Amino acid sequence: MADRQRLGARLVLAPSEPIIFLGFSPRLPYPLTSTVAANFVVNFFGEGISMMQRVGSAGNTSNSLRPRKEKKLTYVLNGADDTKHCAGINCLSLLNSLRQDECDYLFTGSRDGTLKRWALAEDAAAWSATFESHVDWVNDAVLAGGNTLVSCSSDTTVKAWNFLSDGTCTRTFRQHSDYVTCLAAAEKNSNIVASGGLGGEVFIWDLEAALAPLSKSNDAAEDECSNSVNSLESSLPCNGLQPIKLSINSSQNATQSQGYVPIAAKGHKESVYALAANDQGTLLVSGGTEKVVRVWDPRTGCKTMKLKGHTDNIRALLLDSTGRFCLSGSSDSMIRLWDLGQQRCVHSYAVHTDSIWALASNPTFSHVYSGGRDLSLYLTDLSTRESVLLCTEEHPILQLGLHDDGVWVATSDSSVHRWPAEPHNPLKVFQKGGSFLAGNLSFSRARVSLEGSTPVPVYREPSLSIPGIPGIVQHEILNNKRHVLTKDTTGSVKLWEITRGVVIENYGEVSFEQKKEDLFEMVSIPSWYSVDSRLGSLSVHLETPQCFSAEMYSADLNIAGKPEEDKVNLAHETLKGLLACWLTKRKQRFGSQASPNGGILSGKDMSTRTISLSRVDVDGNAENDSTVHPPFEFSAASPPPVITEGSHGGPWRKKITELYGTEDEKDFPWWVLDCVLYNRLPPRENTKCSFYLHPCEGSTLQIIKQGKLSAPRILRIHKVVNYVIEKMVLDKPADSMNVDETFAPGMSGDQIPPLDGDTSLLPGLKPRQNLKPSIEILCNNQVLPPDMSLATVRAYVWKKPEDLVLNYRMLQGW
């Protein structure tokens, strides 16, 4: 807590470290609390600014006194090939097969929120599986006991996976109070895994406890640590990892102890960015923004020593197999070698000119591979201090993994490269020439010493690459509120239709701003969703009741077989399209009326919610509600995943085609189920537009209305023309009309619209086709097109806060 309070008082600027902004952000759906490490972590990369923004759906909010906001539903629009990553690769892990008839595997974790498994051959890497459950960046992943892969994320969770499956997440753990940034595993003691994060917490997990079933007394704790979609994983094996907590915040997460009593010790007061364990799991080291290396005994949770020497954030740590020596890489650009027996730094290496974010050593711990923000991958002899530049990447290096005769490099790009490295015989690399002596210099001196004499890289091209998909870096919601214009890292501009989740136009490398101007439409539709590209692709967020504010006529959506004047709620139809597969499976399981609990929305909360809904809030076209219209059909070939949460657990993520049909209010927000199953929408505001209708100045036409009228915002001007013509034809006295009469929704174009409060048609109505278009409507002396809506008139023509004023006159020539 101390580091949070200290950071909260000022803006922290480190020379080579992410800038941390504390305070409030208009994009955050909740206030910043003292338990949040940062509002934004901004890495100033050469290719642009990468923002590490906290998601509102993650984290612990049990201590909040503010009323809880309704949970939202997010769907992520995938590219054409979802077997590839579409954002930076934060981590990688390698599995070497023990049998010759089995292939090796590479596991990658990305900022797109997924992990992927790749089958490795000598000169190829083939996609094998995608692990999809995290709802934010995957920050680290390690292989543990048995068939277990453990990952951690900015969604504050640690997840265990069966890595031989097709993407099965066996358990989710929510002990951390903030982003989980790093993991460490003991290579020869597969039971030990450690996790650390921005909350200053370090947990040590015993995987052996995963095989022991939780007792009945721990039922509540099991609910606390289980995956948010309990029904999705109820049949999966339980991987209940036992935590030992190393933190001064010993009581902060007492409610999340899973029934275990954590071992607390005085530990990190600030964020943890790096962890490492020796092969036997008898020693653990950690580092972070406190600039010190802490050494722990993971068997007791006791701190054994603290090593000082770095002047900035420690971002990478390595231990040799015996636990005698430790390597650390820091944002001060220095690599330090520590002798833990002597409790001091025995060597320091000034190789890089910027932050060091990744370290890897050869099996004998005689040479170290290092990479970071300066895009360079160096090989350094720890005894002679001789260094050589292996290669340079186009993006900052985030993690390294040695495999056979090469090194896999993860960067902030969506592609992964393997470079020659000779880890079993590093001297071969030095024989190629280009080496230099890594002195014991400060950051500024190292930079000066290398400027103008940059070493020549040994290798120019990687030996193998796994290409990714360019991530989206810019987006703009267009005025029609169905299309979003995007630009990716290659400069390619595309047009997405978010109600179907597809790219409808690829413009190539053109000017984003110019294309945005070209696609401008003079139309006003309420903003019913929000979009971000944090995961490298478009994430569309729907929140109640705002998402139900936008409607269009079926004629404008070109829906065949549906009356042209029917109003279509865009969010309602989009949700139906997203959950069409889920609804089909549900009907197959339970029938059209049945549900597992006898009613999908059970409990006190739902009874109070549904009882307040009026008849107006129920869609009147119930017989057609199961139909998914073409403008809202999502592709089964590239289905988007949904991210949401229900009344239990936490946020979860799953492709819409992989939902089981058994999910209920424990898994989905109540308003989503209310909408899709019962066609009930929450009360909506500002759905109508008030206006005055007067003859033009100097016109001899009669005044057909003295008071104010109101009509749906989407009403077209040609409907107002019809109204004026019919009033003039009937010659109805103005004083016989109600002052606040309203155009009825869904008016037919063939007859006079009925007025609110008077459901009977007035006598003498004539068919519309017998009337001649002799009237035109003006606003601010501008003639309005017949297909323009009242909302558009108000937004682009009237442009005043007062009630809209429309004028009518005879067409010239009449």
PDB file of all heavy atoms in Angstrom, residues 90 315-318 328-330 335 352 355-360 368-373 376-378 396-401 408-410:
ATOM      1  N   ASN A  90       3.639 -11.339 -25.423  1.00  0.00           N
ATOM      2  CA  ASN A  90       4.251 -10.992 -24.142  1.00  0.00           C
ATOM      3  C   ASN A  90       5.118 -12.102 -23.578  1.00  0.00           C
ATOM      4  O   ASN A  90       6.024 -11.839 -22.777  1.00  0.00           O
ATOM      5  CB  ASN A  90       3.177 -10.632 -23.117  1.00  0.00           C
ATOM      6  CG  ASN A  90       2.680  -9.207 -23.270  1.00  0.00           C
ATOM      7  OD1 ASN A  90       3.321  -8.389 -23.905  1.00  0.00           O
ATOM      8  ND2 ASN A  90       1.528  -8.919 -22.696  1.00  0.00           N
ATOM      9  N   ARG A 315      13.279  -5.921 -14.316  1.00  0.00           N
ATOM     10  CA  ARG A 315      12.304  -6.486 -15.251  1.00  0.00           C
ATOM     11  C   ARG A 315      12.532  -7.950 -15.603  1.00  0.00           C
ATOM     12  O   ARG A 315      11.660  -8.586 -16.185  1.00  0.00           O
ATOM     13  CB  ARG A 315      12.307  -5.657 -16.539  1.00  0.00           C
ATOM     14  CG  ARG A 315      11.845  -4.216 -16.370  1.00  0.00           C
ATOM     15  CD  ARG A 315      10.385  -4.150 -15.939  1.00  0.00           C
ATOM     16  NE  ARG A 315       9.531  -4.817 -16.893  1.00  0.00           N
ATOM     17  CZ  ARG A 315       8.927  -4.234 -17.928  1.00  0.00           C
ATOM     18  NH1 ARG A 315       9.115  -2.939 -18.124  1.00  0.00           N
ATOM     19  NH2 ARG A 315       8.152  -4.905 -18.733  1.00  0.00           N
ATOM     20  N   ALA A 316      13.711  -8.510 -15.323  1.00  0.00           N
ATOM     21  CA  ALA A 316      13.989  -9.898 -15.686  1.00  0.00           C
ATOM     22  C   ALA A 316      14.963 -10.503 -14.682  1.00  0.00           C
ATOM     23  O   ALA A 316      15.891  -9.832 -14.215  1.00  0.00           O
ATOM     24  CB  ALA A 316      14.577  -9.974 -17.098  1.00  0.00           C
ATOM     25  N   LEU A 317      14.726 -11.794 -14.338  1.00  0.00           N
ATOM     26  CA  LEU A 317      15.566 -12.503 -13.378  1.00  0.00           C
ATOM     27  C   LEU A 317      15.827 -13.925 -13.864  1.00  0.00           C
ATOM     28  O   LEU A 317      14.963 -14.547 -14.499  1.00  0.00           O
ATOM     29  CB  LEU A 317      14.903 -12.550 -12.000  1.00  0.00           C
ATOM     30  CG  LEU A 317      14.805 -11.237 -11.213  1.00  0.00           C
ATOM     31  CD1 LEU A 317      13.866 -11.392 -10.032  1.00  0.00           C
ATOM     32  CD2 LEU A 317      16.190 -10.781 -10.747  1.00  0.00           C
ATOM     33  N   LEU A 318      17.021 -14.450 -13.544  1.00  0.00           N
ATOM     34  CA  LEU A 318      17.385 -15.837 -13.824  1.00  0.00           C
ATOM     35  C   LEU A 318      18.147 -16.396 -12.637  1.00  0.00           C
ATOM     36  O   LEU A 318      18.949 -15.682 -12.010  1.00  0.00           O
ATOM     37  CB  LEU A 318      18.274 -15.935 -15.070  1.00  0.00           C
ATOM     38  CG  LEU A 318      17.647 -15.765 -16.447  1.00  0.00           C
ATOM     39  CD1 LEU A 318      18.744 -15.879 -17.511  1.00  0.00           C
ATOM     40  CD2 LEU A 318      16.569 -16.801 -16.694  1.00  0.00           C
ATOM     41  N   SER A 328      20.160 -10.496 -13.153  1.00  0.00           N
ATOM     42  CA  SER A 328      19.038  -9.553 -13.152  1.00  0.00           C
ATOM     43  C   SER A 328      19.209  -8.548 -14.283  1.00  0.00           C
ATOM     44  O   SER A 328      20.320  -8.095 -14.555  1.00  0.00           O
ATOM     45  CB  SER A 328      18.944  -8.825 -11.802  1.00  0.00           C
ATOM     46  OG  SER A 328      20.148  -8.124 -11.527  1.00  0.00           O
ATOM     47  N   GLY A 329      18.108  -8.222 -14.926  1.00  0.00           N
ATOM     48  CA  GLY A 329      18.086  -7.192 -15.956  1.00  0.00           C
ATOM     49  C   GLY A 329      17.139  -6.091 -15.545  1.00  0.00           C
ATOM     50  O   GLY A 329      16.046  -6.355 -15.027  1.00  0.00           O
ATOM     51  N   SER A 330      17.552  -4.850 -15.781  1.00  0.00           N
ATOM     52  CA  SER A 330      16.807  -3.728 -15.233  1.00  0.00           C
ATOM     53  C   SER A 330      16.546  -2.657 -16.278  1.00  0.00           C
ATOM     54  O   SER A 330      17.186  -2.617 -17.335  1.00  0.00           O
ATOM     55  CB  SER A 330      17.580  -3.123 -14.052  1.00  0.00           C
ATOM     56  OG  SER A 330      17.045  -1.888 -13.652  1.00  0.00           O
ATOM     57  N   ILE A 335      22.869  -5.339 -16.709  1.00  0.00           N
ATOM     58  CA  ILE A 335      22.730  -6.734 -16.281  1.00  0.00           C
ATOM     59  C   ILE A 335      23.681  -6.930 -15.111  1.00  0.00           C
ATOM     60  O   ILE A 335      24.856  -6.529 -15.170  1.00  0.00           O
ATOM     61  CB  ILE A 335      23.092  -7.714 -17.416  1.00  0.00           C
ATOM     62  CG1 ILE A 335      22.185  -7.497 -18.626  1.00  0.00           C
ATOM     63  CG2 ILE A 335      22.997  -9.154 -16.933  1.00  0.00           C
ATOM     64  CD1 ILE A 335      22.589  -8.311 -19.844  1.00  0.00           C
ATOM     65  N   HIS A 352      23.351  -3.012 -23.147  1.00  0.00           N
ATOM     66  CA  HIS A 352      22.206  -2.375 -23.785  1.00  0.00           C
ATOM     67  C   HIS A 352      22.224  -0.862 -23.567  1.00  0.00           C
ATOM     68  O   HIS A 352      22.858  -0.350 -22.634  1.00  0.00           O
ATOM     69  CB  HIS A 352      20.896  -2.957 -23.240  1.00  0.00           C
ATOM     70  CG  HIS A 352      20.677  -4.377 -23.644  1.00  0.00           C
ATOM     71  ND1 HIS A 352      19.977  -4.735 -24.768  1.00  0.00           N
ATOM     72  CD2 HIS A 352      21.081  -5.544 -23.070  1.00  0.00           C
ATOM     73  CE1 HIS A 352      19.946  -6.057 -24.868  1.00  0.00           C
ATOM     74  NE2 HIS A 352      20.604  -6.575 -23.849  1.00  0.00           N
ATOM     75  N   SER A 355      16.159  -0.120 -21.579  1.00  0.00           N
ATOM     76  CA  SER A 355      15.647  -1.094 -20.611  1.00  0.00           C
ATOM     77  C   SER A 355      15.850  -2.534 -21.080  1.00  0.00           C
ATOM     78  O   SER A 355      15.634  -2.860 -22.251  1.00  0.00           O
ATOM     79  CB  SER A 355      14.158  -0.855 -20.374  1.00  0.00           C
ATOM     80  OG  SER A 355      13.922   0.423 -19.850  1.00  0.00           O
ATOM     81  N   ILE A 356      16.231  -3.399 -20.142  1.00  0.00           N
ATOM     82  CA  ILE A 356      16.379  -4.832 -20.405  1.00  0.00           C
ATOM     83  C   ILE A 356      15.125  -5.525 -19.890  1.00  0.00           C
ATOM     84  O   ILE A 356      14.799  -5.433 -18.706  1.00  0.00           O
ATOM     85  CB  ILE A 356      17.635  -5.391 -19.712  1.00  0.00           C
ATOM     86  CG1 ILE A 356      18.882  -4.694 -20.253  1.00  0.00           C
ATOM     87  CG2 ILE A 356      17.727  -6.900 -19.903  1.00  0.00           C
ATOM     88  CD1 ILE A 356      20.129  -5.001 -19.460  1.00  0.00           C
ATOM     89  N   TRP A 357      14.420  -6.218 -20.804  1.00  0.00           N
ATOM     90  CA  TRP A 357      13.143  -6.828 -20.443  1.00  0.00           C
ATOM     91  C   TRP A 357      13.162  -8.354 -20.507  1.00  0.00           C
ATOM     92  O   TRP A 357      12.195  -8.987 -20.107  1.00  0.00           O
ATOM     93  CB  TRP A 357      12.042  -6.288 -21.361  1.00  0.00           C
ATOM     94  CG  TRP A 357      11.724  -4.845 -21.115  1.00  0.00           C
ATOM     95  CD1 TRP A 357      12.080  -4.097 -20.043  1.00  0.00           C
ATOM     96  CD2 TRP A 357      10.982  -3.968 -21.975  1.00  0.00           C
ATOM     97  NE1 TRP A 357      11.606  -2.811 -20.156  1.00  0.00           N
ATOM     98  CE2 TRP A 357      10.924  -2.702 -21.337  1.00  0.00           C
ATOM     99  CE3 TRP A 357      10.351  -4.115 -23.203  1.00  0.00           C
ATOM    100  CZ2 TRP A 357      10.267  -1.603 -21.890  1.00  0.00           C
ATOM    101  CZ3 TRP A 357       9.699  -3.017 -23.764  1.00  0.00           C
ATOM    102  CH2 TRP A 357       9.652  -1.776 -23.114  1.00  0.00           C
ATOM    103  N   ALA A 358      14.221  -8.955 -21.050  1.00  0.00           N
ATOM    104  CA  ALA A 358      14.229 -10.406 -21.224  1.00  0.00           C
ATOM    105  C   ALA A 358      15.637 -10.947 -21.058  1.00  0.00           C
ATOM    106  O   ALA A 358      16.607 -10.360 -21.550  1.00  0.00           O
ATOM    107  CB  ALA A 358      13.679 -10.777 -22.598  1.00  0.00           C
ATOM    108  N   LEU A 359      15.757 -12.086 -20.354  1.00  0.00           N
ATOM    109  CA  LEU A 359      17.022 -12.782 -20.161  1.00  0.00           C
ATOM    110  C   LEU A 359      16.819 -14.275 -20.385  1.00  0.00           C
ATOM    111  O   LEU A 359      15.753 -14.818 -20.085  1.00  0.00           O
ATOM    112  CB  LEU A 359      17.567 -12.566 -18.741  1.00  0.00           C
ATOM    113  CG  LEU A 359      17.981 -11.151 -18.313  1.00  0.00           C
ATOM    114  CD1 LEU A 359      18.360 -11.156 -16.838  1.00  0.00           C
ATOM    115  CD2 LEU A 359      19.126 -10.631 -19.164  1.00  0.00           C
ATOM    116  N   ALA A 360      17.840 -14.932 -20.914  1.00  0.00           N
ATOM    117  CA  ALA A 360      17.863 -16.390 -21.034  1.00  0.00           C
ATOM    118  C   ALA A 360      19.311 -16.828 -20.983  1.00  0.00           C
ATOM    119  O   ALA A 360      20.199 -16.144 -21.510  1.00  0.00           O
ATOM    120  CB  ALA A 360      17.208 -16.850 -22.334  1.00  0.00           C
ATOM    121  N   VAL A 368      24.766 -15.445 -21.271  1.00  0.00           N
ATOM    122  CA  VAL A 368      23.409 -14.925 -21.123  1.00  0.00           C
ATOM    123  C   VAL A 368      22.982 -14.240 -22.417  1.00  0.00           C
ATOM    124  O   VAL A 368      23.770 -13.529 -23.057  1.00  0.00           O
ATOM    125  CB  VAL A 368      23.305 -13.941 -19.933  1.00  0.00           C
ATOM    126  CG1 VAL A 368      24.194 -12.729 -20.135  1.00  0.00           C
ATOM    127  CG2 VAL A 368      21.857 -13.499 -19.725  1.00  0.00           C
ATOM    128  N   TYR A 369      21.738 -14.498 -22.815  1.00  0.00           N
ATOM    129  CA  TYR A 369      21.099 -13.807 -23.932  1.00  0.00           C
ATOM    130  C   TYR A 369      20.183 -12.747 -23.339  1.00  0.00           C
ATOM    131  O   TYR A 369      19.415 -13.028 -22.401  1.00  0.00           O
ATOM    132  CB  TYR A 369      20.288 -14.778 -24.785  1.00  0.00           C
ATOM    133  CG  TYR A 369      21.106 -15.913 -25.377  1.00  0.00           C
ATOM    134  CD1 TYR A 369      21.394 -17.046 -24.631  1.00  0.00           C
ATOM    135  CD2 TYR A 369      21.583 -15.838 -26.678  1.00  0.00           C
ATOM    136  CE1 TYR A 369      22.144 -18.082 -25.155  1.00  0.00           C
ATOM    137  CE2 TYR A 369      22.334 -16.884 -27.226  1.00  0.00           C
ATOM    138  CZ  TYR A 369      22.614 -17.998 -26.458  1.00  0.00           C
ATOM    139  OH  TYR A 369      23.359 -19.016 -26.988  1.00  0.00           O
ATOM    140  N   SER A 370      20.242 -11.543 -23.888  1.00  0.00           N
ATOM    141  CA  SER A 370      19.466 -10.441 -23.307  1.00  0.00           C
ATOM    142  C   SER A 370      18.839  -9.600 -24.410  1.00  0.00           C
ATOM    143  O   SER A 370      19.417  -9.419 -25.484  1.00  0.00           O
ATOM    144  CB  SER A 370      20.360  -9.555 -22.422  1.00  0.00           C
ATOM    145  OG  SER A 370      21.457  -9.051 -23.169  1.00  0.00           O
ATOM    146  N   GLY A 371      17.650  -9.096 -24.140  1.00  0.00           N
ATOM    147  CA  GLY A 371      16.947  -8.236 -25.086  1.00  0.00           C
ATOM    148  C   GLY A 371      16.063  -7.260 -24.348  1.00  0.00           C
ATOM    149  O   GLY A 371      15.786  -7.425 -23.153  1.00  0.00           O
ATOM    150  N   GLY A 372      15.598  -6.235 -25.058  1.00  0.00           N
ATOM    151  CA  GLY A 372      14.754  -5.254 -24.397  1.00  0.00           C
ATOM    152  C   GLY A 372      14.249  -4.185 -25.323  1.00  0.00           C
ATOM    153  O   GLY A 372      13.994  -4.412 -26.510  1.00  0.00           O
ATOM    154  N   ARG A 373      14.181  -3.013 -24.754  1.00  0.00           N
ATOM    155  CA  ARG A 373      13.545  -1.900 -25.444  1.00  0.00           C
ATOM    156  C   ARG A 373      14.372  -1.345 -26.598  1.00  0.00           C
ATOM    157  O   ARG A 373      13.839  -0.686 -27.489  1.00  0.00           O
ATOM    158  CB  ARG A 373      13.279  -0.795 -24.416  1.00  0.00           C
ATOM    159  CG  ARG A 373      12.421   0.334 -24.899  1.00  0.00           C
ATOM    160  CD  ARG A 373      12.117   1.258 -23.741  1.00  0.00           C
ATOM    161  NE  ARG A 373      11.401   2.443 -24.170  1.00  0.00           N
ATOM    162  CZ  ARG A 373      11.056   3.433 -23.351  1.00  0.00           C
ATOM    163  NH1 ARG A 373      11.365   3.351 -22.071  1.00  0.00           N
ATOM    164  NH2 ARG A 373      10.409   4.480 -23.792  1.00  0.00           N
ATOM    165  N   SER A 376      17.512  -4.891 -29.507  1.00  0.00           N
ATOM    166  CA  SER A 376      18.720  -5.681 -29.758  1.00  0.00           C
ATOM    167  C   SER A 376      18.754  -6.935 -28.905  1.00  0.00           C
ATOM    168  O   SER A 376      18.347  -6.928 -27.739  1.00  0.00           O
ATOM    169  CB  SER A 376      19.965  -4.841 -29.465  1.00  0.00           C
ATOM    170  OG  SER A 376      19.982  -3.670 -30.264  1.00  0.00           O
ATOM    171  N   LEU A 377      19.265  -8.012 -29.506  1.00  0.00           N
ATOM    172  CA  LEU A 377      19.475  -9.269 -28.792  1.00  0.00           C
ATOM    173  C   LEU A 377      20.977  -9.523 -28.717  1.00  0.00           C
ATOM    174  O   LEU A 377      21.660  -9.686 -29.740  1.00  0.00           O
ATOM    175  CB  LEU A 377      18.785 -10.421 -29.526  1.00  0.00           C
ATOM    176  CG  LEU A 377      19.017 -11.834 -28.961  1.00  0.00           C
ATOM    177  CD1 LEU A 377      18.532 -11.931 -27.514  1.00  0.00           C
ATOM    178  CD2 LEU A 377      18.339 -12.878 -29.826  1.00  0.00           C
ATOM    179  N   TYR A 378      21.516  -9.517 -27.495  1.00  0.00           N
ATOM    180  CA  TYR A 378      22.948  -9.692 -27.271  1.00  0.00           C
ATOM    181  C   TYR A 378      23.225 -11.040 -26.618  1.00  0.00           C
ATOM    182  O   TYR A 378      22.405 -11.573 -25.866  1.00  0.00           O
ATOM    183  CB  TYR A 378      23.494  -8.592 -26.362  1.00  0.00           C
ATOM    184  CG  TYR A 378      23.610  -7.231 -26.996  1.00  0.00           C
ATOM    185  CD1 TYR A 378      22.605  -6.278 -26.839  1.00  0.00           C
ATOM    186  CD2 TYR A 378      24.725  -6.894 -27.757  1.00  0.00           C
ATOM    187  CE1 TYR A 378      22.714  -5.022 -27.416  1.00  0.00           C
ATOM    188  CE2 TYR A 378      24.842  -5.633 -28.341  1.00  0.00           C
ATOM    189  CZ  TYR A 378      23.835  -4.708 -28.168  1.00  0.00           C
ATOM    190  OH  TYR A 378      23.941  -3.458 -28.752  1.00  0.00           O
ATOM    191  N   PRO A 396      10.383  -3.889 -29.702  1.00  0.00           N
ATOM    192  CA  PRO A 396      11.004  -4.199 -28.414  1.00  0.00           C
ATOM    193  C   PRO A 396      10.861  -5.680 -28.057  1.00  0.00           C
ATOM    194  O   PRO A 396       9.808  -6.284 -28.286  1.00  0.00           O
ATOM    195  CB  PRO A 396      10.241  -3.314 -27.431  1.00  0.00           C
ATOM    196  CG  PRO A 396       9.773  -2.163 -28.249  1.00  0.00           C
ATOM    197  CD  PRO A 396       9.456  -2.732 -29.596  1.00  0.00           C
ATOM    198  N   ILE A 397      11.920  -6.238 -27.505  1.00  0.00           N
ATOM    199  CA  ILE A 397      11.955  -7.662 -27.150  1.00  0.00           C
ATOM    200  C   ILE A 397      11.391  -7.844 -25.747  1.00  0.00           C
ATOM    201  O   ILE A 397      11.836  -7.197 -24.787  1.00  0.00           O
ATOM    202  CB  ILE A 397      13.397  -8.190 -27.238  1.00  0.00           C
ATOM    203  CG1 ILE A 397      13.895  -8.094 -28.693  1.00  0.00           C
ATOM    204  CG2 ILE A 397      13.485  -9.622 -26.731  1.00  0.00           C
ATOM    205  CD1 ILE A 397      15.366  -8.427 -28.849  1.00  0.00           C
ATOM    206  N   LEU A 398      10.423  -8.745 -25.609  1.00  0.00           N
ATOM    207  CA  LEU A 398       9.714  -8.918 -24.339  1.00  0.00           C
ATOM    208  C   LEU A 398      10.079 -10.212 -23.620  1.00  0.00           C
ATOM    209  O   LEU A 398      10.021 -10.271 -22.392  1.00  0.00           O
ATOM    210  CB  LEU A 398       8.196  -8.876 -24.570  1.00  0.00           C
ATOM    211  CG  LEU A 398       7.665  -7.610 -25.239  1.00  0.00           C
ATOM    212  CD1 LEU A 398       6.160  -7.709 -25.447  1.00  0.00           C
ATOM    213  CD2 LEU A 398       8.000  -6.382 -24.415  1.00  0.00           C
ATOM    214  N   GLN A 399      10.418 -11.282 -24.377  1.00  0.00           N
ATOM    215  CA  GLN A 399      10.799 -12.531 -23.723  1.00  0.00           C
ATOM    216  C   GLN A 399      11.589 -13.397 -24.688  1.00  0.00           C
ATOM    217  O   GLN A 399      11.433 -13.286 -25.918  1.00  0.00           O
ATOM    218  CB  GLN A 399       9.579 -13.296 -23.192  1.00  0.00           C
ATOM    219  CG  GLN A 399       9.936 -14.252 -22.062  1.00  0.00           C
ATOM    220  CD  GLN A 399       8.725 -14.791 -21.327  1.00  0.00           C
ATOM    221  OE1 GLN A 399       8.150 -15.791 -21.739  1.00  0.00           O
ATOM    222  NE2 GLN A 399       8.320 -14.125 -20.244  1.00  0.00           N
ATOM    223  N   LEU A 400      12.426 -14.284 -24.120  1.00  0.00           N
ATOM    224  CA  LEU A 400      13.285 -15.170 -24.893  1.00  0.00           C
ATOM    225  C   LEU A 400      13.067 -16.606 -24.452  1.00  0.00           C
ATOM    226  O   LEU A 400      12.754 -16.874 -23.282  1.00  0.00           O
ATOM    227  CB  LEU A 400      14.759 -14.799 -24.692  1.00  0.00           C
ATOM    228  CG  LEU A 400      15.173 -13.355 -25.006  1.00  0.00           C
ATOM    229  CD1 LEU A 400      16.615 -13.128 -24.561  1.00  0.00           C
ATOM    230  CD2 LEU A 400      15.009 -13.059 -26.486  1.00  0.00           C
ATOM    231  N   GLY A 401      13.270 -17.539 -25.387  1.00  0.00           N
ATOM    232  CA  GLY A 401      13.179 -18.957 -25.080  1.00  0.00           C
ATOM    233  C   GLY A 401      14.163 -19.742 -25.925  1.00  0.00           C
ATOM    234  O   GLY A 401      14.079 -19.729 -27.155  1.00  0.00           O
ATOM    235  N   TRP A 408      13.985 -18.385 -29.503  1.00  0.00           N
ATOM    236  CA  TRP A 408      12.700 -17.781 -29.900  1.00  0.00           C
ATOM    237  C   TRP A 408      12.594 -16.421 -29.225  1.00  0.00           C
ATOM    238  O   TRP A 408      12.888 -16.277 -28.030  1.00  0.00           O
ATOM    239  CB  TRP A 408      11.534 -18.670 -29.488  1.00  0.00           C
ATOM    240  CG  TRP A 408      11.382 -19.881 -30.364  1.00  0.00           C
ATOM    241  CD1 TRP A 408      11.842 -21.149 -30.120  1.00  0.00           C
ATOM    242  CD2 TRP A 408      10.702 -19.942 -31.619  1.00  0.00           C
ATOM    243  NE1 TRP A 408      11.498 -21.983 -31.148  1.00  0.00           N
ATOM    244  CE2 TRP A 408      10.797 -21.283 -32.083  1.00  0.00           C
ATOM    245  CE3 TRP A 408      10.029 -19.013 -32.409  1.00  0.00           C
ATOM    246  CZ2 TRP A 408      10.244 -21.704 -33.283  1.00  0.00           C
ATOM    247  CZ3 TRP A 408       9.473 -19.426 -33.607  1.00  0.00           C
ATOM    248  CH2 TRP A 408       9.581 -20.744 -34.041  1.00  0.00           C
ATOM    249  N   VAL A 409      12.146 -15.443 -29.991  1.00  0.00           N
ATOM    250  CA  VAL A 409      12.086 -14.061 -29.508  1.00  0.00           C
ATOM    251  C   VAL A 409      10.649 -13.555 -29.599  1.00  0.00           C
ATOM    252  O   VAL A 409      10.040 -13.560 -30.678  1.00  0.00           O
ATOM    253  CB  VAL A 409      13.020 -13.144 -30.328  1.00  0.00           C
ATOM    254  CG1 VAL A 409      12.923 -11.708 -29.819  1.00  0.00           C
ATOM    255  CG2 VAL A 409      14.453 -13.644 -30.267  1.00  0.00           C
ATOM    256  N   ALA A 410      10.103 -13.148 -28.461  1.00  0.00           N
ATOM    257  CA  ALA A 410       8.762 -12.546 -28.406  1.00  0.00           C
ATOM    258  C   ALA A 410       8.918 -11.036 -28.316  1.00  0.00           C
ATOM    259  O   ALA A 410       9.709 -10.529 -27.511  1.00  0.00           O
ATOM    260  CB  ALA A 410       7.985 -13.066 -27.199  1.00  0.00           C
TER     261      ALA A 410
END
